[in-house]
Structures are given as structure tokens and as C-alpha cells.
């Protein structure tokens, strides 16, 4: 049989050293948990702030698109009420009379 199992899980027979190992181990576990929670909260905060920035940016972009849509539709309805047809033209060939008079 192994002699380590006879003494128990702690390496020394000194009760003060065993108590110190238990206290230091408990403190190490506690500090690890606290630092883990702090890191989790910081990471979660960064993710929430970035998500809020993206959401605000998308809202602002959609707001601008809606404004442009309203402006275009109101401009179209105004032109239709006035009977104005908007378009572009290009002169294909000039008249001989108009070029000679210039």
C-alpha cells in the first residue's frame, strides 16, 4: 500500500502547515472567482456598448433612408399635380439655320 494514503490528502503531519495550505488554497480559489467575475462583467460591458453603438448607427441610417423616401415621394407628387414631366435631352444634330446665324 502507498504511504501517501495513510497520511491523508495533505503532505505534512503538521496541523499548522495543513491549515495554512487550506487557507491559502481557499484564498486562491476565491481570488480566481472574483477576477473571473470582474473579467466577465468587463467583457459583457464592452459587448453591450458595442451593440448599442451598432444599433444606434443602424437606426440613424434607416432614419435617413426614410427621410429620403419621403422627400422623393413628396417631390414626385408635386410634379404630378403641376403636370410637369421631368427628363433629359441631347441634341443629335443641329439645324443648319441655327448654326449659320451664330
Amino acid at each position: 500500500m502507498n504511504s501517501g494514503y495513510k497520511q491523508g490528502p495533505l503532505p505534512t503531519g503538521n496541523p499548522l502547515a495543513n491549515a495554512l495550505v487550506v487557507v491559502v488554497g481557499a484564498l486562491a480559489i476565491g481570488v480566481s472567482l472574483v477576477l473571473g467575475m470582474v473579467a466577465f462583467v468587463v467583457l459583457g460591458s464592452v459587448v453591450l456598448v458595442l451593440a448599442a453603438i451598432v444599433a444606434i448607427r443602424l437606426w440613424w441610417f434607416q432614419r435617413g433612408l426614410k427621410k429620403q423616401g419621403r422627400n422623393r415621394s413628396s417631390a414626385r407628387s408635386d410634379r404630378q399635380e403641376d403636370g410637369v414631366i421631368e427628363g433629359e435631352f441631347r441634341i443629335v444634330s443641329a439645324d443648319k439655320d441655327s448654326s449659320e446665324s451664330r
Side-chain angles (χ1 to χ4, degrees):
M1 210 172 192
N2 193 349
S3 64
Y5 288 116
K6 291 180 185 177
Q7 289 181 346
L10 297 175
T12 64
N14 188 352
L16 290 178
N18 291 342
L20 183 63
V21 167
V22 169
V23 169
V24 169
L27 285 175
I29 291 173
V31 168
S32 296
L33 287 174
V34 169
L35 287 177
M37 286 299 290
V38 169
F40 180 73
V41 168
V42 168
L43 183 64
S45 301
V46 168
V47 168
L48 283 176
V49 167
L50 290 176
I53 290 171
V54 168
I56 290 171
R57 179 64 181 118
L58 287 175
W59 170 79
W60 191 267
F61 183 68
Q62 288 177 348
R63 182 175 168 253
L65 287 178
K66 286 180 184 177
K67 273 187 179 179
Q68 286 179 358
R70 276 190 242 129
N71 290 342
R72 286 183 183 171
S73 65
S74 65
R76 286 181 187 152
S77 64
D78 291 344
R79 284 188 299 233
Q80 289 173 355
E81 290 173 4
D82 295 340
V84 175
I85 299 174
E86 186 176 333
E88 296 180 7
F89 70 94
R90 179 175 38 164
I91 298 176
V92 177
S93 63
D95 292 337
K96 291 182 180 180
D97 296 334
S98 62
S99 62
E100 292 174 0
S101 63
R102 288 186 186 176

Coordinates of all heavy atoms in Angstrom, one line a residue:
M1 N 0.8 -1.2 0.0 CA 0.0 0.0 0.0 C 0.9 1.2 0.0 O 1.9 1.3 0.6 CB -0.9 0.0 1.2 CG -2.2 0.6 1.1 SD -3.2 0.3 2.5 CE -4.6 0.9 1.8
N2 N 0.4 2.3 -0.6 CA 1.1 3.5 -0.7 C 1.1 4.3 0.6 O 0.0 4.4 1.2 CB 0.6 4.4 -1.9 CG 1.5 5.5 -2.2 OD1 2.5 5.8 -1.5 ND2 1.2 6.2 -3.3
S3 N 2.2 4.9 1.1 CA 2.2 5.5 2.4 C 1.5 6.9 2.3 O 1.1 7.4 3.3 CB 3.6 5.7 2.8 OG 4.3 6.6 1.9
G4 N 1.3 7.5 1.1 CA 0.6 8.8 1.0 C -0.9 8.6 1.4 O -1.5 9.6 1.9
Y5 N -1.5 7.5 1.2 CA -2.9 7.3 1.5 C -3.1 7.2 3.0 O -4.2 7.5 3.6 CB -3.5 6.1 0.8 CG -3.6 6.3 -0.6 CD1 -2.9 5.5 -1.5 CD2 -4.5 7.2 -1.1 CE1 -3.0 5.7 -2.9 CE2 -4.7 7.4 -2.5 CZ -3.9 6.7 -3.4 OH -4.1 6.8 -4.7
K6 N -2.1 6.8 3.8 CA -2.2 6.6 5.2 C -2.3 8.0 5.9 O -3.0 8.2 6.9 CB -1.0 5.8 5.8 CG -1.0 4.4 5.4 CD 0.2 3.7 6.0 CE 0.3 2.3 5.5 NZ 1.4 1.6 6.0
Q7 N -1.5 9.0 5.4 CA -1.5 10.3 6.0 C -2.7 11.1 5.6 O -3.1 12.0 6.3 CB -0.2 11.1 5.6 CG 1.0 10.5 6.1 CD 2.2 11.3 5.7 OE1 2.1 12.1 4.8 NE2 3.4 11.1 6.3
G8 N -3.3 10.9 4.5 CA -4.4 11.7 4.0 C -4.0 12.6 2.8 O -2.9 12.5 2.4
P9 N -4.8 13.5 2.4 CA -4.5 14.3 1.2 C -3.5 15.4 1.4 O -2.9 15.9 0.5 CB -5.9 14.9 0.8 CG -6.7 14.9 2.1 CD -6.2 13.8 2.9
L10 N -3.2 15.8 2.7 CA -2.3 16.9 2.9 C -0.9 16.3 3.1 O -0.7 15.2 3.7 CB -2.7 17.7 4.1 CG -4.0 18.4 4.0 CD1 -4.4 19.1 5.3 CD2 -4.0 19.4 2.9
P11 N 0.2 16.9 2.6 CA 1.5 16.3 2.6 C 2.2 16.3 3.9 O 3.1 15.4 4.1 CB 2.3 17.2 1.6 CG 1.6 18.5 1.6 CD 0.1 18.2 1.9
T12 N 1.9 17.1 4.8 CA 2.7 17.1 6.1 C 1.9 16.7 7.2 O 0.6 16.7 7.2 CB 3.2 18.6 6.4 OG1 2.1 19.4 6.6 CG2 4.0 19.1 5.3
G13 N 2.5 16.3 8.3 CA 1.8 15.9 9.5 C 1.6 17.0 10.5 O 0.9 16.9 11.5
N14 N 2.1 18.2 10.1 CA 2.0 19.4 11.0 C 0.6 20.0 10.8 O 0.3 20.5 9.7 CB 3.1 20.4 10.6 CG 3.2 21.6 11.5 OD1 2.3 21.7 12.4 ND2 4.2 22.4 11.4
P15 N -0.2 20.2 11.8 CA -1.5 20.7 11.6 C -1.5 22.2 11.3 O -2.4 22.7 10.5 CB -2.2 20.5 13.0 CG -1.2 20.0 13.9 CD 0.0 19.7 13.1
L16 N -0.5 23.0 11.7 CA -0.5 24.4 11.3 C -0.2 24.6 9.8 O -0.8 25.4 9.2 CB 0.6 25.1 12.2 CG 0.2 25.3 13.6 CD1 1.4 26.0 14.4 CD2 -1.0 26.1 13.8
A17 N 0.7 23.8 9.3 CA 1.1 23.8 7.9 C -0.1 23.4 7.1 O -0.4 24.0 6.0 CB 2.3 22.9 7.6
N18 N -0.8 22.4 7.5 CA -2.0 21.9 6.8 C -3.1 23.0 6.8 O -3.8 23.2 5.8 CB -2.6 20.6 7.5 CG -1.7 19.4 7.3 OD1 -0.8 19.5 6.4 ND2 -1.9 18.4 8.1
A19 N -3.3 23.7 7.9 CA -4.3 24.8 8.0 C -3.9 25.9 7.1 O -4.7 26.5 6.4 CB -4.4 25.2 9.4
L20 N -2.6 26.2 7.0 CA -2.1 27.3 6.1 C -2.3 26.9 4.7 O -2.7 27.7 3.9 CB -0.6 27.5 6.4 CG 0.0 28.6 5.6 CD1 -0.6 30.0 6.0 CD2 1.5 28.7 5.8
V21 N -2.1 25.6 4.3 CA -2.4 25.2 2.9 C -3.8 25.3 2.6 O -4.2 25.8 1.5 CB -1.9 23.7 2.7 CG1 -2.4 23.1 1.4 CG2 -0.4 23.7 2.8
V22 N -4.7 25.0 3.5 CA -6.2 25.1 3.3 C -6.6 26.5 3.1 O -7.3 26.9 2.2 CB -6.9 24.4 4.4 CG1 -8.4 24.7 4.3 CG2 -6.7 22.9 4.4
V23 N -6.1 27.4 4.0 CA -6.4 28.8 3.9 C -5.9 29.5 2.6 O -6.6 30.2 1.9 CB -5.9 29.6 5.2 CG1 -6.0 31.1 5.0 CG2 -6.6 29.1 6.4
V24 N -4.6 29.2 2.3 CA -4.1 29.8 1.0 C -4.8 29.2 -0.2 O -5.1 30.0 -1.1 CB -2.6 29.5 1.0 CG1 -2.0 29.8 -0.4 CG2 -1.8 30.3 2.1
G25 N -5.1 27.9 -0.2 CA -5.9 27.4 -1.3 C -7.3 28.0 -1.4 O -7.7 28.3 -2.5
A26 N -8.0 28.2 -0.3 CA -9.3 28.8 -0.3 C -9.2 30.3 -0.8 O -10.0 30.7 -1.6 CB -9.9 28.8 1.0
L27 N -8.2 31.0 -0.4 CA -8.0 32.4 -0.9 C -7.7 32.4 -2.4 O -8.2 33.3 -3.1 CB -6.8 33.0 -0.1 CG -7.2 33.5 1.4 CD1 -6.0 34.0 2.0 CD2 -8.3 34.5 1.3
A28 N -6.9 31.5 -2.8 CA -6.5 31.4 -4.3 C -7.8 31.2 -5.1 O -8.0 31.8 -6.1 CB -5.5 30.4 -4.5
I29 N -8.6 30.2 -4.6 CA -9.9 29.9 -5.4 C -10.8 31.2 -5.3 O -11.4 31.5 -6.3 CB -10.5 28.7 -4.8 CG1 -9.7 27.5 -5.1 CG2 -12.0 28.5 -5.3 CD1 -10.2 26.2 -4.4
G30 N -10.9 31.8 -4.2 CA -11.8 33.0 -4.0 C -11.3 34.1 -4.9 O -12.1 34.8 -5.6
V31 N -10.0 34.4 -5.0 CA -9.5 35.4 -5.8 C -9.7 35.1 -7.3 O -10.0 36.0 -8.1 CB -7.9 35.7 -5.5 CG1 -7.3 36.6 -6.6 CG2 -7.8 36.3 -4.2
S32 N -9.5 33.9 -7.7 CA -9.7 33.4 -9.0 C -11.2 33.7 -9.4 O -11.5 34.1 -10.5 CB -9.4 32.0 -9.2 OG -8.0 31.8 -9.0
L33 N -12.1 33.3 -8.6 CA -13.5 33.5 -8.9 C -13.9 35.0 -9.0 O -14.6 35.4 -9.9 CB -14.4 32.9 -7.8 CG -14.5 31.4 -7.8 CD1 -15.2 30.9 -6.5 CD2 -15.1 30.9 -9.0
V34 N -13.3 35.8 -8.1 CA -13.6 37.3 -8.2 C -13.0 37.9 -9.4 O -13.7 38.7 -10.1 CB -13.0 38.0 -6.9 CG1 -13.1 39.5 -7.1 CG2 -13.8 37.6 -5.7
L35 N -11.8 37.5 -9.8 CA -11.2 38.1 -11.0 C -11.9 37.6 -12.2 O -12.1 38.3 -13.2 CB -9.7 37.7 -11.1 CG -8.8 38.4 -10.1 CD1 -7.4 37.9 -10.3 CD2 -8.8 39.9 -10.4
G36 N -12.4 36.3 -12.2 CA -13.2 35.8 -13.3 C -14.5 36.6 -13.5 O -14.9 36.9 -14.6
M37 N -15.1 36.9 -12.4 CA -16.4 37.7 -12.4 C -16.1 39.1 -12.9 O -16.9 39.6 -13.7 CB -17.1 37.7 -11.1 CG -17.7 36.4 -10.7 SD -19.0 35.9 -11.8 CE -20.3 37.1 -11.4
V38 N -15.0 39.7 -12.5 CA -14.7 41.0 -12.9 C -14.4 41.0 -14.4 O -14.9 41.9 -15.2 CB -13.5 41.6 -12.2 CG1 -13.0 42.9 -12.8 CG2 -13.9 41.9 -10.7
A39 N -13.7 40.0 -14.9 CA -13.4 39.9 -16.3 C -14.7 39.7 -17.1 O -14.9 40.3 -18.2 CB -12.4 38.8 -16.6
F40 N -15.6 38.9 -16.6 CA -16.9 38.6 -17.3 C -17.7 39.9 -17.4 O -18.3 40.2 -18.4 CB -17.6 37.6 -16.5 CG -19.0 37.2 -17.1 CD1 -19.0 36.5 -18.3 CD2 -20.1 37.6 -16.5 CE1 -20.3 36.2 -18.8 CE2 -21.4 37.3 -17.0 CZ -21.4 36.6 -18.2
V41 N -17.7 40.7 -16.3 CA -18.5 41.9 -16.3 C -17.9 42.9 -17.3 O -18.6 43.6 -18.0 CB -18.6 42.5 -14.8 CG1 -19.1 43.9 -14.8 CG2 -19.5 41.6 -14.0
V42 N -16.6 43.0 -17.3 CA -15.9 44.0 -18.2 C -16.2 43.6 -19.6 O -16.5 44.4 -20.5 CB -14.4 44.1 -17.9 CG1 -13.7 44.8 -19.0 CG2 -14.2 44.8 -16.5
L43 N -16.0 42.3 -19.9 CA -16.3 41.8 -21.3 C -17.7 42.0 -21.7 O -18.0 42.5 -22.8 CB -15.9 40.4 -21.4 CG -16.0 39.8 -22.8 CD1 -15.0 40.4 -23.8 CD2 -15.7 38.3 -22.7
G44 N -18.6 41.7 -20.8 CA -20.1 41.9 -21.1 C -20.4 43.4 -21.3 O -21.2 43.7 -22.2
S45 N -19.7 44.3 -20.5 CA -20.0 45.7 -20.7 C -19.5 46.2 -22.1 O -20.2 47.0 -22.7 CB -19.3 46.5 -19.6 OG -19.7 46.1 -18.3
V46 N -18.3 45.7 -22.5 CA -17.8 46.1 -23.8 C -18.7 45.6 -24.9 O -19.0 46.4 -25.8 CB -16.4 45.5 -24.0 CG1 -15.9 45.7 -25.4 CG2 -15.4 46.2 -23.0
V47 N -19.2 44.4 -24.8 CA -20.1 43.9 -25.8 C -21.4 44.7 -25.8 O -21.9 45.0 -26.9 CB -20.4 42.4 -25.5 CG1 -21.5 41.9 -26.4 CG2 -19.1 41.6 -25.8
L48 N -21.9 45.0 -24.7 CA -23.2 45.8 -24.6 C -23.0 47.2 -25.2 O -23.8 47.7 -26.0 CB -23.7 46.0 -23.2 CG -24.4 44.7 -22.6 CD1 -24.8 45.0 -21.2 CD2 -25.6 44.4 -23.4
V49 N -21.9 47.9 -25.0 CA -21.6 49.2 -25.5 C -21.5 49.1 -27.0 O -22.0 49.9 -27.8 CB -20.3 49.8 -24.9 CG1 -19.9 51.0 -25.6 CG2 -20.6 50.2 -23.4
L50 N -20.7 48.1 -27.5 CA -20.6 48.0 -29.0 C -21.9 47.6 -29.6 O -22.2 48.2 -30.7 CB -19.6 46.9 -29.3 CG -18.1 47.2 -29.0 CD1 -17.2 46.0 -29.2 CD2 -17.6 48.4 -29.7
A51 N -22.7 46.8 -29.0 CA -24.1 46.5 -29.6 C -24.9 47.8 -29.6 O -25.7 48.0 -30.6 CB -24.7 45.4 -28.7
A52 N -24.8 48.6 -28.6 CA -25.6 49.8 -28.6 C -25.2 50.8 -29.7 O -26.0 51.4 -30.3 CB -25.5 50.5 -27.2
I53 N -23.9 50.9 -29.9 CA -23.3 51.7 -30.9 C -23.8 51.3 -32.3 O -24.2 52.1 -33.1 CB -21.8 51.8 -30.9 CG1 -21.4 52.6 -29.6 CG2 -21.2 52.4 -32.1 CD1 -19.9 52.5 -29.3
V54 N -23.8 50.0 -32.5 CA -24.2 49.4 -33.8 C -25.7 49.7 -34.0 O -26.2 50.0 -35.1 CB -23.9 47.9 -33.9 CG1 -24.6 47.3 -35.1 CG2 -22.4 47.8 -34.0
A55 N -26.5 49.4 -32.9 CA -27.9 49.6 -33.0 C -28.3 51.1 -33.3 O -29.2 51.4 -34.1 CB -28.6 49.2 -31.7
I56 N -27.6 52.0 -32.7 CA -27.8 53.5 -32.9 C -27.5 53.8 -34.3 O -28.2 54.6 -35.0 CB -27.1 54.3 -31.9 CG1 -27.8 54.1 -30.5 CG2 -27.1 55.8 -32.3 CD1 -27.0 54.8 -29.4
R57 N -26.3 53.3 -34.8 CA -25.9 53.6 -36.1 C -26.9 53.1 -37.2 O -27.2 53.8 -38.2 CB -24.5 53.0 -36.4 CG -24.0 53.2 -37.8 CD -23.7 54.6 -38.1 NE -23.2 54.8 -39.4 CZ -23.8 55.5 -40.3 NH1 -24.9 56.1 -40.1 NH2 -23.3 55.6 -41.5
L58 N -27.4 51.9 -37.0 CA -28.4 51.3 -37.9 C -29.7 52.1 -37.9 O -30.3 52.4 -38.9 CB -28.7 49.8 -37.6 CG -27.6 48.9 -38.0 CD1 -27.9 47.5 -37.4 CD2 -27.4 48.8 -39.4
W59 N -30.1 52.5 -36.7 CA -31.3 53.3 -36.5 C -31.2 54.7 -37.3 O -32.0 55.1 -38.0 CB -31.6 53.6 -35.1 CG -32.7 54.6 -34.9 CD1 -34.0 54.4 -35.0 CD2 -32.5 56.0 -34.5 NE1 -34.7 55.6 -34.7 CE2 -33.8 56.5 -34.4 CE3 -31.4 56.7 -34.2 CZ2 -34.0 57.9 -34.1 CZ3 -31.6 58.1 -33.9 CH2 -32.9 58.6 -33.8
W60 N -30.0 55.3 -37.1 CA -29.7 56.6 -37.8 C -29.7 56.4 -39.3 O -30.3 57.2 -40.0 CB -28.4 57.1 -37.3 CG -28.1 58.5 -37.7 CD1 -27.5 58.9 -38.8 CD2 -28.5 59.7 -37.0 NE1 -27.5 60.3 -38.8 CE2 -28.1 60.8 -37.7 CE3 -29.2 59.9 -35.8 CZ2 -28.3 62.1 -37.3 CZ3 -29.4 61.2 -35.4 CH2 -29.0 62.2 -36.1
F61 N -29.1 55.3 -39.8 CA -29.1 55.1 -41.2 C -30.5 54.8 -41.8 O -30.9 55.4 -42.8 CB -28.2 53.9 -41.5 CG -28.0 53.5 -42.9 CD1 -27.3 54.4 -43.8 CD2 -28.6 52.4 -43.5 CE1 -27.2 54.1 -45.1 CE2 -28.4 52.1 -44.8 CZ -27.7 52.9 -45.6
Q62 N -31.3 54.0 -41.1 CA -32.7 53.8 -41.5 C -33.5 55.1 -41.5 O -34.4 55.3 -42.3 CB -33.3 52.7 -40.7 CG -32.8 51.3 -41.0 CD -33.4 50.3 -40.0 OE1 -34.0 50.6 -39.1 NE2 -33.1 49.0 -40.4
R63 N -33.3 55.9 -40.5 CA -34.0 57.2 -40.4 C -33.7 58.1 -41.6 O -34.6 58.7 -42.2 CB -33.6 57.9 -39.1 CG -34.2 59.1 -38.8 CD -33.8 59.6 -37.4 NE -34.2 61.0 -37.2 CZ -33.4 62.0 -37.2 NH1 -32.1 61.8 -37.4 NH2 -33.8 63.2 -37.0
G64 N -32.4 58.1 -42.0 CA -32.0 58.9 -43.2 C -32.7 58.3 -44.4 O -33.1 59.1 -45.3
L65 N -32.7 57.0 -44.6 CA -33.4 56.4 -45.7 C -34.8 56.7 -45.8 O -35.4 57.0 -46.9 CB -33.2 54.9 -45.7 CG -31.7 54.4 -46.1 CD1 -31.7 52.9 -46.0 CD2 -31.3 54.9 -47.4
K66 N -35.5 56.7 -44.6 CA -36.9 57.0 -44.6 C -37.2 58.5 -45.0 O -38.1 58.8 -45.7 CB -37.5 56.8 -43.2 CG -37.7 55.3 -42.9 CD -38.2 55.1 -41.6 CE -38.3 53.6 -41.2 NZ -38.8 53.3 -39.9
K67 N -36.3 59.4 -44.5 CA -36.4 60.8 -44.9 C -36.3 61.0 -46.4 O -37.0 61.7 -47.0 CB -35.4 61.7 -44.2 CG -35.8 62.1 -42.8 CD -34.8 63.1 -42.3 CE -35.2 63.6 -40.9 NZ -34.2 64.5 -40.4
Q68 N -35.3 60.3 -47.0 CA -35.0 60.4 -48.4 C -36.3 59.9 -49.2 O -36.7 60.5 -50.2 CB -33.8 59.7 -48.8 CG -32.5 60.3 -48.4 CD -31.3 59.5 -48.9 OE1 -31.4 58.4 -49.4 NE2 -30.1 60.1 -48.6
G69 N -36.8 58.8 -48.7 CA -38.0 58.3 -49.4 C -39.2 59.2 -49.3 O -39.9 59.4 -50.3
R70 N -39.4 59.9 -48.2 CA -40.5 60.8 -48.0 C -40.3 62.0 -48.9 O -41.2 62.5 -49.6 CB -40.6 61.3 -46.6 CG -41.4 60.3 -45.8 CD -41.8 60.9 -44.4 NE -41.2 60.0 -43.4 CZ -40.4 60.3 -42.5 NH1 -40.1 61.6 -42.2 NH2 -39.9 59.4 -41.6
N71 N -39.0 62.5 -49.0 CA -38.7 63.7 -49.8 C -38.9 63.4 -51.3 O -39.5 64.2 -52.0 CB -37.3 64.2 -49.6 CG -37.1 64.8 -48.2 OD1 -38.1 65.2 -47.6 ND2 -35.9 64.9 -47.8
R72 N -38.5 62.2 -51.7 CA -38.7 61.8 -53.1 C -40.2 61.6 -53.5 O -40.7 62.1 -54.5 CB -38.0 60.5 -53.4 CG -36.5 60.7 -53.5 CD -35.8 59.4 -53.9 NE -34.4 59.6 -53.9 CZ -33.5 58.6 -54.0 NH1 -33.9 57.4 -54.1 NH2 -32.2 58.9 -54.0
S73 N -40.9 61.0 -52.6 CA -42.4 60.8 -52.9 C -43.1 62.1 -52.9 O -44.0 62.3 -53.7 CB -43.0 59.8 -51.9 OG -43.0 60.4 -50.6
S74 N -42.8 63.0 -52.0 CA -43.5 64.3 -52.0 C -43.1 65.1 -53.2 O -43.9 65.8 -53.8 CB -43.2 65.1 -50.7 OG -41.8 65.5 -50.7
A75 N -41.8 65.0 -53.7 CA -41.4 65.8 -54.9 C -42.1 65.2 -56.1 O -42.5 65.9 -57.0 CB -39.9 65.7 -55.0
R76 N -42.3 63.9 -56.1 CA -43.0 63.2 -57.3 C -44.4 63.7 -57.3 O -45.0 64.0 -58.3 CB -42.9 61.7 -57.2 CG -41.5 61.2 -57.5 CD -41.5 59.7 -57.4 NE -40.1 59.2 -57.6 CZ -39.7 58.1 -57.1 NH1 -40.4 57.3 -56.4 NH2 -38.4 57.7 -57.3
S77 N -45.1 63.7 -56.1 CA -46.5 64.1 -56.1 C -46.7 65.5 -56.5 O -47.6 65.9 -57.2 CB -47.1 63.8 -54.7 OG -46.5 64.6 -53.8
D78 N -45.7 66.4 -56.1 CA -45.8 67.8 -56.5 C -45.7 68.0 -58.0 O -46.4 68.7 -58.7 CB -44.7 68.6 -55.8 CG -44.9 68.8 -54.3 OD1 -46.1 68.5 -53.9 OD2 -44.0 69.1 -53.6
R79 N -44.8 67.2 -58.6 CA -44.6 67.3 -60.1 C -45.8 66.8 -60.8 O -46.2 67.3 -61.8 CB -43.3 66.6 -60.5 CG -42.1 67.3 -60.2 CD -40.9 66.6 -60.8 NE -40.9 65.2 -60.3 CZ -39.8 64.7 -59.7 NH1 -38.7 65.3 -59.7 NH2 -39.8 63.4 -59.3
Q80 N -46.4 65.7 -60.3 CA -47.6 65.1 -61.0 C -48.8 66.1 -60.9 O -49.5 66.2 -61.8 CB -47.9 63.8 -60.3 CG -46.9 62.7 -60.7 CD -47.1 61.4 -59.9 OE1 -48.0 61.4 -59.1 NE2 -46.3 60.4 -60.2
E81 N -48.9 66.8 -59.8 CA -50.0 67.7 -59.6 C -49.8 68.9 -60.6 O -50.8 69.4 -61.1 CB -50.1 68.2 -58.2 CG -50.6 67.2 -57.2 CD -50.5 67.6 -55.8 OE1 -50.2 68.8 -55.5 OE2 -50.8 66.8 -54.9
D82 N -48.6 69.4 -60.8 CA -48.4 70.5 -61.7 C -48.4 70.1 -63.2 O -48.4 71.0 -64.0 CB -47.0 71.1 -61.4 CG -47.0 71.8 -60.0 OD1 -48.1 72.0 -59.5 OD2 -45.9 72.0 -59.5
G83 N -48.4 68.8 -63.5 CA -48.3 68.4 -64.9 C -47.0 68.6 -65.5 O -46.9 68.6 -66.7
V84 N -45.9 68.6 -64.7 CA -44.6 68.8 -65.2 C -44.0 67.4 -65.5 O -44.0 66.5 -64.6 CB -43.7 69.6 -64.3 CG1 -42.3 69.6 -64.8 CG2 -44.3 71.0 -64.1
I85 N -43.4 67.2 -66.6 CA -42.7 66.0 -66.9 C -41.2 66.3 -66.9 O -40.8 67.1 -67.7 CB -43.1 65.4 -68.3 CG1 -44.6 65.1 -68.3 CG2 -42.3 64.2 -68.6 CD1 -45.1 64.7 -69.6
E86 N -40.5 65.6 -66.1 CA -39.1 65.9 -66.0 C -38.3 64.8 -66.8 O -38.6 63.7 -66.9 CB -38.6 65.7 -64.5 CG -37.2 66.1 -64.3 CD -36.8 66.1 -62.8 OE1 -37.7 66.3 -62.0 OE2 -35.6 65.9 -62.5
G87 N -37.3 65.3 -67.5 CA -36.5 64.4 -68.3 C -35.2 65.1 -68.8 O -35.0 66.3 -68.6
E88 N -34.4 64.4 -69.5 CA -33.2 64.9 -70.1 C -33.2 64.8 -71.6 O -33.9 63.9 -72.1 CB -32.0 64.1 -69.6 CG -31.8 64.2 -68.1 CD -30.5 63.5 -67.6 OE1 -29.8 62.9 -68.5 OE2 -30.4 63.4 -66.4
F89 N -32.5 65.6 -72.3 CA -32.5 65.6 -73.7 C -31.0 65.8 -74.2 O -30.2 66.3 -73.5 CB -33.4 66.6 -74.4 CG -33.0 68.0 -74.2 CD1 -32.2 68.6 -75.2 CD2 -33.3 68.7 -73.1 CE1 -31.8 69.9 -75.1 CE2 -32.8 70.0 -72.9 CZ -32.1 70.6 -73.9
R90 N -30.8 65.3 -75.4 CA -29.5 65.5 -76.1 C -29.7 65.9 -77.5 O -30.5 65.3 -78.2 CB -28.7 64.2 -76.0 CG -27.3 64.3 -76.6 CD -26.5 63.0 -76.4 NE -27.4 61.8 -76.4 CZ -27.0 60.6 -76.6 NH1 -25.7 60.4 -76.6 NH2 -27.8 59.6 -76.6
I91 N -29.0 66.9 -78.0 CA -29.2 67.3 -79.4 C -28.4 66.4 -80.3 O -27.2 66.2 -80.1 CB -28.7 68.8 -79.6 CG1 -29.5 69.7 -78.7 CG2 -28.7 69.2 -81.0 CD1 -29.1 71.1 -78.8
V92 N -29.0 65.7 -81.2 CA -28.4 64.7 -82.0 C -27.7 65.4 -83.2 O -26.6 65.2 -83.5 CB -29.4 63.7 -82.5 CG1 -28.8 62.7 -83.5 CG2 -30.0 63.0 -81.4
S93 N -28.4 66.3 -83.9 CA -27.9 67.1 -85.0 C -28.4 68.5 -84.9 O -29.6 68.7 -84.6 CB -28.2 66.4 -86.3 OG -29.6 66.4 -86.5
A94 N -27.6 69.5 -85.2 CA -28.0 70.8 -85.1 C -28.6 71.2 -86.5 O -28.2 70.8 -87.5 CB -26.9 71.7 -84.8
D95 N -29.6 72.1 -86.5 CA -30.1 72.7 -87.7 C -29.1 73.5 -88.4 O -28.3 74.2 -87.8 CB -31.4 73.5 -87.4 CG -32.5 72.6 -86.9 OD1 -32.5 71.4 -87.2 OD2 -33.5 73.2 -86.3
K96 N -29.1 73.6 -89.7 CA -28.1 74.4 -90.4 C -28.4 75.8 -90.2 O -27.5 76.7 -90.2 CB -28.2 74.0 -91.9 CG -27.6 72.7 -92.2 CD -27.7 72.4 -93.7 CE -27.1 71.0 -94.0 NZ -27.1 70.7 -95.4
D97 N -29.7 76.2 -90.1 CA -30.0 77.6 -90.0 C -29.5 78.1 -88.6 O -29.0 79.3 -88.5 CB -31.6 77.8 -90.0 CG -32.1 77.4 -91.4 OD1 -31.3 77.5 -92.4 OD2 -33.2 77.0 -91.5
S98 N -29.6 77.4 -87.6 CA -29.2 77.9 -86.2 C -27.7 77.9 -86.1 O -27.2 78.8 -85.5 CB -29.8 77.0 -85.1 OG -29.3 75.7 -85.3
S99 N -27.0 77.1 -86.8 CA -25.5 77.1 -86.7 C -25.0 78.3 -87.6 O -23.9 78.9 -87.3 CB -24.9 75.8 -87.2 OG -25.2 75.5 -88.5
E100 N -25.6 78.7 -88.7 CA -25.2 79.8 -89.6 C -25.5 81.1 -88.9 O -24.7 82.1 -89.1 CB -25.8 79.7 -90.9 CG -25.4 78.5 -91.7 CD -26.2 78.4 -93.0 OE1 -27.1 79.2 -93.3 OE2 -25.9 77.4 -93.8
S101 N -26.5 81.2 -88.1 CA -26.9 82.5 -87.5 C -26.0 82.9 -86.4 O -25.9 84.0 -86.0 CB -28.3 82.5 -87.1 OG -28.5 81.5 -86.1
R102 N -25.3 81.9 -85.8 CA -24.4 82.2 -84.7 C -23.1 82.8 -85.1 O -22.4 83.2 -85.6 CB -24.1 80.9 -83.9 CG -25.3 80.5 -83.1 CD -24.9 79.3 -82.3 NE -26.1 78.8 -81.7 CZ -26.1 77.7 -81.0 NH1 -25.1 77.0 -80.7 NH2 -27.2 77.3 -80.4

